[in-house]
mmCIF file of all heavy atoms in Angstrom:
data_model
loop_
_atom_site.group_PDB
_atom_site.id
_atom_site.type_symbol
_atom_site.label_atom_id
_atom_site.label_comp_id
_atom_site.label_asym_id
_atom_site.label_seq_id
_atom_site.Cartn_x
_atom_site.Cartn_y
_atom_site.Cartn_z
ATOM 1 N N ASP A 306 139.778 -227.836 84.735
ATOM 2 C CA ASP A 306 140.653 -227.322 85.638
ATOM 3 C C ASP A 306 139.830 -227.020 86.936
ATOM 4 O O ASP A 306 138.703 -226.995 87.015
ATOM 5 C CB ASP A 306 141.295 -225.874 85.252
ATOM 6 C CG ASP A 306 142.275 -226.117 84.158
ATOM 7 O OD1 ASP A 306 142.779 -227.320 83.903
ATOM 8 O OD2 ASP A 306 142.533 -225.116 83.499
ATOM 9 N N TRP A 307 140.586 -226.698 88.112
ATOM 10 C CA TRP A 307 139.987 -226.166 89.432
ATOM 11 C C TRP A 307 140.778 -224.795 89.524
ATOM 12 O O TRP A 307 141.954 -224.671 89.266
ATOM 13 C CB TRP A 307 140.458 -227.140 90.444
ATOM 14 C CG TRP A 307 139.715 -228.440 90.435
ATOM 15 C CD1 TRP A 307 140.185 -229.576 89.781
ATOM 16 C CD2 TRP A 307 138.477 -228.765 91.066
ATOM 17 N NE1 TRP A 307 139.305 -230.540 89.876
ATOM 18 C CE2 TRP A 307 138.246 -230.194 90.667
ATOM 19 C CE3 TRP A 307 137.561 -228.184 91.875
ATOM 20 C CZ2 TRP A 307 137.133 -230.762 91.154
ATOM 21 C CZ3 TRP A 307 136.394 -228.804 92.382
ATOM 22 C CH2 TRP A 307 136.176 -230.108 92.004
ATOM 23 N N VAL A 308 139.991 -223.841 90.083
ATOM 24 C CA VAL A 308 140.458 -222.574 90.382
ATOM 25 C C VAL A 308 140.451 -222.375 91.790
ATOM 26 O O VAL A 308 139.420 -222.360 92.472
ATOM 27 C CB VAL A 308 139.590 -221.455 89.581
ATOM 28 C CG1 VAL A 308 140.180 -220.018 89.951
ATOM 29 C CG2 VAL A 308 139.549 -221.728 88.176
ATOM 30 N N ILE A 309 141.689 -222.201 92.335
ATOM 31 C CA ILE A 309 141.816 -222.084 93.893
ATOM 32 C C ILE A 309 142.075 -220.669 94.209
ATOM 33 O O ILE A 309 142.931 -220.004 93.733
ATOM 34 C CB ILE A 309 143.054 -223.021 94.288
ATOM 35 C CG1 ILE A 309 142.687 -224.442 93.867
ATOM 36 C CG2 ILE A 309 143.187 -222.975 95.707
ATOM 37 C CD1 ILE A 309 143.869 -225.493 94.287
ATOM 38 N N ASN A 310 141.297 -220.288 95.279
ATOM 39 C CA ASN A 310 141.568 -218.924 95.913
ATOM 40 C C ASN A 310 141.517 -219.064 97.454
ATOM 41 O O ASN A 310 140.838 -219.869 97.971
ATOM 42 C CB ASN A 310 140.503 -217.949 95.566
ATOM 43 C CG ASN A 310 140.503 -217.548 94.086
ATOM 44 O OD1 ASN A 310 141.309 -216.566 93.856
ATOM 45 N ND2 ASN A 310 139.731 -218.153 93.187
ATOM 46 N N GLY A 311 142.438 -218.396 98.010
ATOM 47 C CA GLY A 311 142.465 -218.370 99.525
ATOM 48 C C GLY A 311 143.867 -218.011 100.018
ATOM 49 O O GLY A 311 144.801 -217.574 99.318
ATOM 50 N N GLU A 312 144.056 -218.227 101.419
ATOM 51 C CA GLU A 312 145.233 -217.944 102.021
ATOM 52 C C GLU A 312 145.655 -219.129 102.895
ATOM 53 O O GLU A 312 144.732 -219.800 103.449
ATOM 54 C CB GLU A 312 145.249 -216.685 102.852
ATOM 55 C CG GLU A 312 145.190 -215.447 102.073
ATOM 56 C CD GLU A 312 145.124 -214.187 102.945
ATOM 57 O OE1 GLU A 312 146.216 -213.873 103.623
ATOM 58 O OE2 GLU A 312 144.085 -213.505 103.119
ATOM 59 N N LYS A 313 146.928 -219.426 103.106
ATOM 60 C CA LYS A 313 147.538 -220.485 103.993
ATOM 61 C C LYS A 313 148.549 -219.749 104.802
ATOM 62 O O LYS A 313 149.282 -218.904 104.328
ATOM 63 C CB LYS A 313 148.001 -221.547 103.257
ATOM 64 C CG LYS A 313 146.946 -222.303 102.296
ATOM 65 C CD LYS A 313 145.912 -223.067 103.136
ATOM 66 C CE LYS A 313 144.929 -223.649 102.216
ATOM 67 N NZ LYS A 313 143.835 -224.401 103.130
ATOM 68 N N LYS A 314 148.723 -220.233 106.007
ATOM 69 C CA LYS A 314 149.844 -219.637 106.945
ATOM 70 C C LYS A 314 150.508 -220.757 107.727
ATOM 71 O O LYS A 314 149.915 -221.760 107.935
ATOM 72 C CB LYS A 314 149.266 -218.655 107.778
ATOM 73 C CG LYS A 314 150.264 -217.709 108.549
ATOM 74 C CD LYS A 314 149.580 -216.603 109.342
ATOM 75 C CE LYS A 314 150.640 -215.703 109.936
ATOM 76 N NZ LYS A 314 150.057 -214.586 110.742
ATOM 77 N N TRP A 315 151.791 -220.526 107.994
ATOM 78 C CA TRP A 315 152.593 -221.483 108.808
ATOM 79 C C TRP A 315 152.902 -222.700 108.028
ATOM 80 O O TRP A 315 152.810 -223.876 108.549
ATOM 81 C CB TRP A 315 152.014 -221.793 110.046
ATOM 82 C CG TRP A 315 151.833 -220.632 110.964
ATOM 83 C CD1 TRP A 315 150.625 -220.166 111.383
ATOM 84 C CD2 TRP A 315 152.836 -219.883 111.601
ATOM 85 N NE1 TRP A 315 150.868 -219.056 112.283
ATOM 86 C CE2 TRP A 315 152.216 -218.793 112.336
ATOM 87 C CE3 TRP A 315 154.195 -219.867 111.466
ATOM 88 C CZ2 TRP A 315 152.828 -217.844 113.083
ATOM 89 C CZ3 TRP A 315 154.969 -218.917 112.200
ATOM 90 C CH2 TRP A 315 154.294 -217.911 113.056
ATOM 91 N N ILE A 316 153.157 -222.529 106.666
ATOM 92 C CA ILE A 316 153.350 -223.709 105.787
ATOM 93 C C ILE A 316 154.800 -224.019 105.472
ATOM 94 O O ILE A 316 155.470 -223.219 104.893
ATOM 95 C CB ILE A 316 152.627 -223.506 104.430
ATOM 96 C CG1 ILE A 316 151.097 -223.051 104.705
ATOM 97 C CG2 ILE A 316 152.623 -224.737 103.626
ATOM 98 C CD1 ILE A 316 150.464 -223.986 105.590
ATOM 99 N N GLY A 317 155.333 -225.075 106.071
ATOM 100 C CA GLY A 317 156.715 -225.492 105.944
ATOM 101 C C GLY A 317 156.923 -225.858 104.425
ATOM 102 O O GLY A 317 156.152 -226.444 103.788
ATOM 103 N N HIS A 318 158.036 -225.268 103.988
ATOM 104 C CA HIS A 318 158.440 -225.616 102.572
ATOM 105 C C HIS A 318 157.515 -224.675 101.549
ATOM 106 O O HIS A 318 157.729 -224.826 100.290
ATOM 107 C CB HIS A 318 158.336 -227.009 102.108
ATOM 108 C CG HIS A 318 159.453 -227.808 102.554
ATOM 109 N ND1 HIS A 318 159.568 -229.254 102.275
ATOM 110 C CD2 HIS A 318 160.764 -227.542 103.029
ATOM 111 C CE1 HIS A 318 160.717 -229.689 102.791
ATOM 112 N NE2 HIS A 318 161.454 -228.749 103.199
ATOM 113 N N GLY A 319 156.598 -223.855 102.080
ATOM 114 C CA GLY A 319 155.685 -223.274 101.309
ATOM 115 C C GLY A 319 156.274 -222.168 100.404
ATOM 116 O O GLY A 319 155.791 -221.748 99.375
ATOM 117 N N SER A 320 157.500 -221.718 100.815
ATOM 118 C CA SER A 320 158.133 -220.678 100.006
ATOM 119 C C SER A 320 159.471 -221.115 99.502
ATOM 120 O O SER A 320 160.251 -220.343 98.765
ATOM 121 C CB SER A 320 158.380 -219.353 100.850
ATOM 122 O OG SER A 320 159.095 -219.714 102.048
ATOM 123 N N VAL A 321 159.870 -222.296 99.794
ATOM 124 C CA VAL A 321 161.145 -222.782 99.374
ATOM 125 C C VAL A 321 161.114 -224.108 98.624
ATOM 126 O O VAL A 321 162.021 -224.842 98.508
ATOM 127 C CB VAL A 321 162.145 -222.961 100.440
ATOM 128 C CG1 VAL A 321 162.556 -221.513 101.072
ATOM 129 C CG2 VAL A 321 161.635 -223.840 101.545
ATOM 130 N N GLY A 322 159.872 -224.486 98.261
ATOM 131 C CA GLY A 322 159.583 -225.927 97.713
ATOM 132 C C GLY A 322 159.359 -225.730 96.260
ATOM 133 O O GLY A 322 159.569 -224.739 95.589
ATOM 134 N N HIS A 323 158.795 -226.916 95.689
ATOM 135 C CA HIS A 323 158.415 -226.938 94.210
ATOM 136 C C HIS A 323 156.914 -227.219 94.122
ATOM 137 O O HIS A 323 156.295 -226.647 93.156
ATOM 138 C CB HIS A 323 159.185 -228.155 93.615
ATOM 139 C CG HIS A 323 160.620 -228.076 93.770
ATOM 140 N ND1 HIS A 323 161.449 -228.691 94.572
ATOM 141 C CD2 HIS A 323 161.551 -227.250 93.052
ATOM 142 C CE1 HIS A 323 162.656 -228.378 94.504
ATOM 143 N NE2 HIS A 323 162.869 -227.507 93.600
ATOM 144 N N ILE A 324 156.365 -227.948 95.056
ATOM 145 C CA ILE A 324 154.918 -228.136 95.028
ATOM 146 C C ILE A 324 154.330 -227.959 96.417
ATOM 147 O O ILE A 324 155.059 -227.968 97.425
ATOM 148 C CB ILE A 324 154.611 -229.644 94.459
ATOM 149 C CG1 ILE A 324 155.094 -230.727 95.455
ATOM 150 C CG2 ILE A 324 154.957 -229.828 93.038
ATOM 151 C CD1 ILE A 324 154.524 -232.033 95.212
ATOM 152 N N ALA A 325 153.042 -227.777 96.423
ATOM 153 C CA ALA A 325 152.240 -227.767 97.660
ATOM 154 C C ALA A 325 151.075 -228.438 97.648
ATOM 155 O O ALA A 325 150.280 -228.388 96.641
ATOM 156 C CB ALA A 325 152.009 -226.232 98.075
ATOM 157 N N VAL A 326 150.754 -229.370 98.559
ATOM 158 C CA VAL A 326 149.447 -230.059 98.639
ATOM 159 C C VAL A 326 148.508 -229.118 99.344
ATOM 160 O O VAL A 326 148.552 -228.915 100.544
ATOM 161 C CB VAL A 326 149.544 -231.361 99.347
ATOM 162 C CG1 VAL A 326 148.255 -232.020 99.423
ATOM 163 C CG2 VAL A 326 150.600 -232.368 98.598
ATOM 164 N N VAL A 327 147.694 -228.465 98.550
ATOM 165 C CA VAL A 327 146.678 -227.490 98.997
ATOM 166 C C VAL A 327 145.334 -228.054 99.297
ATOM 167 O O VAL A 327 144.745 -228.725 98.562
ATOM 168 C CB VAL A 327 146.623 -226.306 97.996
ATOM 169 C CG1 VAL A 327 145.490 -225.241 98.455
ATOM 170 C CG2 VAL A 327 147.924 -225.590 97.805
ATOM 171 N N TRP A 328 144.909 -227.758 100.438
ATOM 172 C CA TRP A 328 143.430 -228.282 100.918
ATOM 173 C C TRP A 328 142.575 -227.106 100.666
ATOM 174 O O TRP A 328 142.745 -226.030 101.194
ATOM 175 C CB TRP A 328 143.582 -228.836 102.301
ATOM 176 C CG TRP A 328 144.585 -229.878 102.411
ATOM 177 C CD1 TRP A 328 145.874 -229.732 102.802
ATOM 178 C CD2 TRP A 328 144.360 -231.317 102.129
ATOM 179 N NE1 TRP A 328 146.665 -231.020 102.752
ATOM 180 C CE2 TRP A 328 145.563 -231.929 102.367
ATOM 181 C CE3 TRP A 328 143.272 -232.104 101.769
ATOM 182 C CZ2 TRP A 328 145.788 -233.381 102.169
ATOM 183 C CZ3 TRP A 328 143.415 -233.418 101.554
ATOM 184 C CH2 TRP A 328 144.753 -234.046 101.845
ATOM 185 N N ALA A 329 141.441 -227.361 100.096
ATOM 186 C CA ALA A 329 140.446 -226.412 99.726
ATOM 187 C C ALA A 329 139.041 -227.066 99.725
ATOM 188 O O ALA A 329 138.855 -228.292 99.466
ATOM 189 C CB ALA A 329 140.712 -225.783 98.415
ATOM 190 N N ARG A 330 138.142 -226.168 99.996
ATOM 191 C CA ARG A 330 136.658 -226.588 99.946
ATOM 192 C C ARG A 330 136.138 -226.608 98.543
ATOM 193 O O ARG A 330 136.195 -225.548 97.905
ATOM 194 C CB ARG A 330 135.840 -225.697 100.892
ATOM 195 C CG ARG A 330 134.562 -226.348 101.223
ATOM 196 C CD ARG A 330 133.891 -225.613 102.394
ATOM 197 N NE ARG A 330 134.591 -225.714 103.598
ATOM 198 C CZ ARG A 330 134.622 -226.827 104.463
ATOM 199 N NH1 ARG A 330 134.044 -227.807 104.105
ATOM 200 N NH2 ARG A 330 135.396 -226.799 105.526
ATOM 201 N N MET A 331 135.628 -227.669 98.010
ATOM 202 C CA MET A 331 135.180 -227.750 96.696
ATOM 203 C C MET A 331 133.742 -227.386 96.593
ATOM 204 O O MET A 331 133.047 -227.025 97.508
ATOM 205 C CB MET A 331 135.359 -229.238 96.174
ATOM 206 C CG MET A 331 136.800 -229.718 96.306
ATOM 207 S SD MET A 331 137.087 -231.448 95.675
ATOM 208 C CE MET A 331 136.196 -232.448 96.915
ATOM 209 N N ASP A 332 133.220 -227.437 95.343
ATOM 210 C CA ASP A 332 131.925 -226.981 95.024
ATOM 211 C C ASP A 332 130.826 -227.642 95.840
ATOM 212 O O ASP A 332 129.819 -227.072 96.170
ATOM 213 C CB ASP A 332 131.508 -227.191 93.530
ATOM 214 C CG ASP A 332 132.425 -226.354 92.618
ATOM 215 O OD1 ASP A 332 132.992 -225.273 93.030
ATOM 216 O OD2 ASP A 332 132.735 -226.820 91.382
ATOM 217 N N ASP A 333 130.986 -228.845 96.137
ATOM 218 C CA ASP A 333 130.062 -229.680 96.851
ATOM 219 C C ASP A 333 130.121 -229.542 98.386
ATOM 220 O O ASP A 333 129.521 -230.140 99.239
ATOM 221 C CB ASP A 333 130.100 -231.185 96.505
ATOM 222 C CG ASP A 333 131.424 -231.756 96.903
ATOM 223 O OD1 ASP A 333 132.374 -231.048 97.401
ATOM 224 O OD2 ASP A 333 131.657 -232.993 96.567
ATOM 225 N N GLY A 334 131.026 -228.704 98.896
ATOM 226 C CA GLY A 334 131.263 -228.396 100.216
ATOM 227 C C GLY A 334 132.344 -229.254 100.841
ATOM 228 O O GLY A 334 132.682 -229.043 102.096
ATOM 229 N N GLU A 335 132.671 -230.332 100.226
ATOM 230 C CA GLU A 335 133.659 -231.189 100.876
ATOM 231 C C GLU A 335 135.093 -230.675 100.629
ATOM 232 O O GLU A 335 135.207 -229.775 99.787
ATOM 233 C CB GLU A 335 133.547 -232.711 100.202
ATOM 234 C CG GLU A 335 132.211 -233.314 100.614
ATOM 235 C CD GLU A 335 132.178 -233.783 102.091
ATOM 236 O OE1 GLU A 335 133.173 -233.488 102.790
ATOM 237 O OE2 GLU A 335 131.129 -234.278 102.523
ATOM 238 N N VAL A 336 136.103 -231.235 101.333
ATOM 239 C CA VAL A 336 137.466 -230.857 101.273
ATOM 240 C C VAL A 336 138.331 -231.681 100.370
ATOM 241 O O VAL A 336 138.196 -232.911 100.409
ATOM 242 C CB VAL A 336 138.114 -230.855 102.672
ATOM 243 C CG1 VAL A 336 139.505 -230.474 102.645
ATOM 244 C CG2 VAL A 336 137.381 -229.961 103.619
ATOM 245 N N GLY A 337 138.947 -231.168 99.439
ATOM 246 C CA GLY A 337 139.791 -231.809 98.457
ATOM 247 C C GLY A 337 141.246 -231.301 98.565
ATOM 248 O O GLY A 337 141.502 -230.339 99.086
ATOM 249 N N GLY A 338 142.135 -232.267 98.115
ATOM 250 C CA GLY A 338 143.526 -231.876 98.086
ATOM 251 C C GLY A 338 144.011 -231.797 96.755
ATOM 252 O O GLY A 338 143.678 -232.515 95.794
ATOM 253 N N PHE A 339 144.952 -230.810 96.434
ATOM 254 C CA PHE A 339 145.393 -230.529 95.129
ATOM 255 C C PHE A 339 146.850 -230.337 95.098
ATOM 256 O O PHE A 339 147.393 -229.595 96.002
ATOM 257 C CB PHE A 339 144.654 -229.123 94.617
ATOM 258 C CG PHE A 339 143.120 -229.307 94.569
ATOM 259 C CD1 PHE A 339 142.430 -228.996 95.645
ATOM 260 C CD2 PHE A 339 142.518 -229.602 93.378
ATOM 261 C CE1 PHE A 339 141.019 -229.107 95.623
ATOM 262 C CE2 PHE A 339 141.204 -229.714 93.342
ATOM 263 C CZ PHE A 339 140.430 -229.474 94.516
ATOM 264 N N ILE A 340 147.648 -230.806 94.114
ATOM 265 C CA ILE A 340 148.987 -230.679 93.973
ATOM 266 C C ILE A 340 149.292 -229.461 93.155
ATOM 267 O O ILE A 340 149.059 -229.400 91.976
ATOM 268 C CB ILE A 340 149.642 -231.878 93.394
ATOM 269 C CG1 ILE A 340 149.356 -233.197 94.247
ATOM 270 C CG2 ILE A 340 151.222 -231.680 93.273
ATOM 271 C CD1 ILE A 340 149.805 -234.507 93.536
ATOM 272 N N VAL A 341 149.749 -228.350 93.825
ATOM 273 C CA VAL A 341 149.988 -227.121 93.090
ATOM 274 C C VAL A 341 151.411 -226.716 93.043
ATOM 275 O O VAL A 341 152.146 -226.844 94.011
ATOM 276 C CB VAL A 341 149.202 -225.971 94.001
ATOM 277 C CG1 VAL A 341 149.366 -224.664 93.395
ATOM 278 C CG2 VAL A 341 147.812 -226.389 94.200
ATOM 279 N N ASP A 342 151.855 -226.414 91.821
ATOM 280 C CA ASP A 342 153.164 -225.963 91.534
ATOM 281 C C ASP A 342 153.316 -224.640 92.130
ATOM 282 O O ASP A 342 152.510 -223.743 92.080
ATOM 283 C CB ASP A 342 153.390 -225.865 90.013
ATOM 284 C CG ASP A 342 153.553 -227.202 89.377
ATOM 285 O OD1 ASP A 342 154.022 -228.133 89.965
ATOM 286 O OD2 ASP A 342 153.081 -227.312 88.177
ATOM 287 N N GLN A 343 154.507 -224.421 92.957
ATOM 288 C CA GLN A 343 154.680 -223.244 93.619
ATOM 289 C C GLN A 343 155.188 -222.068 92.681
ATOM 290 O O GLN A 343 155.197 -220.936 93.104
ATOM 291 C CB GLN A 343 155.852 -223.420 94.664
ATOM 292 C CG GLN A 343 155.268 -224.373 95.865
ATOM 293 C CD GLN A 343 156.156 -224.276 97.043
ATOM 294 O OE1 GLN A 343 157.123 -223.462 97.255
ATOM 295 N NE2 GLN A 343 156.066 -225.278 97.934
ATOM 296 N N ASP A 344 155.401 -222.427 91.378
ATOM 297 C CA ASP A 344 155.699 -221.399 90.393
ATOM 298 C C ASP A 344 154.478 -221.009 89.525
ATOM 299 O O ASP A 344 154.539 -220.302 88.557
ATOM 300 C CB ASP A 344 156.958 -221.657 89.597
ATOM 301 C CG ASP A 344 156.746 -222.918 88.781
ATOM 302 O OD1 ASP A 344 155.699 -223.614 88.812
ATOM 303 O OD2 ASP A 344 157.669 -223.270 88.027
ATOM 304 N N ALA A 345 153.386 -221.535 89.891
ATOM 305 C CA ALA A 345 152.026 -221.385 89.194
ATOM 306 C C ALA A 345 151.659 -219.895 89.310
ATOM 307 O O ALA A 345 151.891 -219.224 90.303
ATOM 308 C CB ALA A 345 151.030 -222.248 89.751
ATOM 309 N N ASP A 346 151.065 -219.371 88.174
ATOM 310 C CA ASP A 346 150.481 -218.029 88.226
ATOM 311 C C ASP A 346 149.472 -217.887 89.396
ATOM 312 O O ASP A 346 148.586 -218.843 89.553
ATOM 313 C CB ASP A 346 149.746 -217.736 86.845
ATOM 314 C CG ASP A 346 150.734 -217.605 85.690
ATOM 315 O OD1 ASP A 346 151.923 -217.417 85.931
ATOM 316 O OD2 ASP A 346 150.384 -217.656 84.602
ATOM 317 N N GLY A 347 149.645 -216.866 90.200
ATOM 318 C CA GLY A 347 148.686 -216.686 91.314
ATOM 319 C C GLY A 347 149.005 -217.269 92.692
ATOM 320 O O GLY A 347 148.472 -216.990 93.557
ATOM 321 N N TYR A 348 150.176 -218.009 92.624
ATOM 322 C CA TYR A 348 150.711 -218.533 93.878
ATOM 323 C C TYR A 348 151.756 -217.694 94.354
ATOM 324 O O TYR A 348 152.813 -217.374 93.602
ATOM 325 C CB TYR A 348 151.241 -219.968 93.675
ATOM 326 C CG TYR A 348 151.878 -220.612 94.843
ATOM 327 C CD1 TYR A 348 151.041 -221.662 95.522
ATOM 328 C CD2 TYR A 348 153.098 -220.274 95.476
ATOM 329 C CE1 TYR A 348 151.581 -222.291 96.573
ATOM 330 C CE2 TYR A 348 153.575 -220.975 96.522
ATOM 331 C CZ TYR A 348 152.856 -222.000 97.159
ATOM 332 O OH TYR A 348 153.368 -222.554 98.376
ATOM 333 N N HIS A 349 151.536 -217.014 95.524
ATOM 334 C CA HIS A 349 152.492 -216.125 96.099
ATOM 335 C C HIS A 349 152.826 -216.472 97.546
ATOM 336 O O HIS A 349 151.838 -216.779 98.382
ATOM 337 C CB HIS A 349 152.124 -214.665 96.069
ATOM 338 C CG HIS A 349 152.983 -213.695 96.702
ATOM 339 N ND1 HIS A 349 154.105 -213.329 96.105
ATOM 340 C CD2 HIS A 349 152.912 -213.020 97.948
ATOM 341 C CE1 HIS A 349 154.745 -212.523 96.894
ATOM 342 N NE2 HIS A 349 153.995 -212.323 97.943
ATOM 343 N N ALA A 350 154.088 -216.689 97.981
ATOM 344 C CA ALA A 350 154.462 -217.123 99.221
ATOM 345 C C ALA A 350 155.567 -216.192 99.820
ATOM 346 O O ALA A 350 156.533 -215.906 99.181
ATOM 347 C CB ALA A 350 154.986 -218.518 99.294
ATOM 348 N N GLU A 351 155.326 -215.796 101.021
ATOM 349 C CA GLU A 351 156.435 -215.017 101.855
ATOM 350 C C GLU A 351 156.804 -215.775 103.040
ATOM 351 O O GLU A 351 155.960 -216.335 103.753
ATOM 352 C CB GLU A 351 155.758 -213.668 102.190
ATOM 353 C CG GLU A 351 155.512 -212.777 101.044
ATOM 354 C CD GLU A 351 154.910 -211.428 101.523
ATOM 355 O OE1 GLU A 351 154.932 -211.195 102.763
ATOM 356 O OE2 GLU A 351 154.745 -210.534 100.811
ATOM 357 N N THR A 352 158.139 -215.901 103.171
ATOM 358 C CA THR A 352 158.615 -216.547 104.368
ATOM 359 C C THR A 352 158.305 -215.657 105.667
ATOM 360 O O THR A 352 158.499 -214.402 105.572
ATOM 361 C CB THR A 352 160.142 -216.685 104.266
ATOM 362 O OG1 THR A 352 160.391 -217.661 103.111
ATOM 363 C CG2 THR A 352 160.702 -217.306 105.574
ATOM 364 N N ILE A 353 157.802 -216.323 106.711
ATOM 365 C CA ILE A 353 157.366 -215.550 107.929
ATOM 366 C C ILE A 353 158.796 -215.250 108.686
ATOM 367 O O ILE A 353 159.543 -216.249 108.955
ATOM 368 C CB ILE A 353 156.505 -216.450 108.673
ATOM 369 C CG1 ILE A 353 155.192 -216.672 107.955
ATOM 370 C CG2 ILE A 353 156.250 -215.792 110.043
ATOM 371 C CD1 ILE A 353 154.239 -217.689 108.635
#
Side-chain angles (χ1 to χ4, degrees):
D306 293 342
W307 294 84
V308 180
I309 302 178
N310 285 279
E312 291 183 69
K313 300 294 182 179
K314 194 172 184 180
W315 300 113
I316 310 304
H318 280 172
S320 56
V321 295
H323 301 101
I324 62 171
V326 178
V327 175
W328 301 92
R330 198 166 296 282
M331 300 183 293
D332 296 334
D333 60 2
E335 293 291 358
V336 175
F339 301 83
I340 302 171
V341 179
D342 290 329
Q343 292 189 19
D344 61 359
D346 290 340
Y348 182 103
H349 178 70
E351 294 183 359
T352 298
I353 297 170

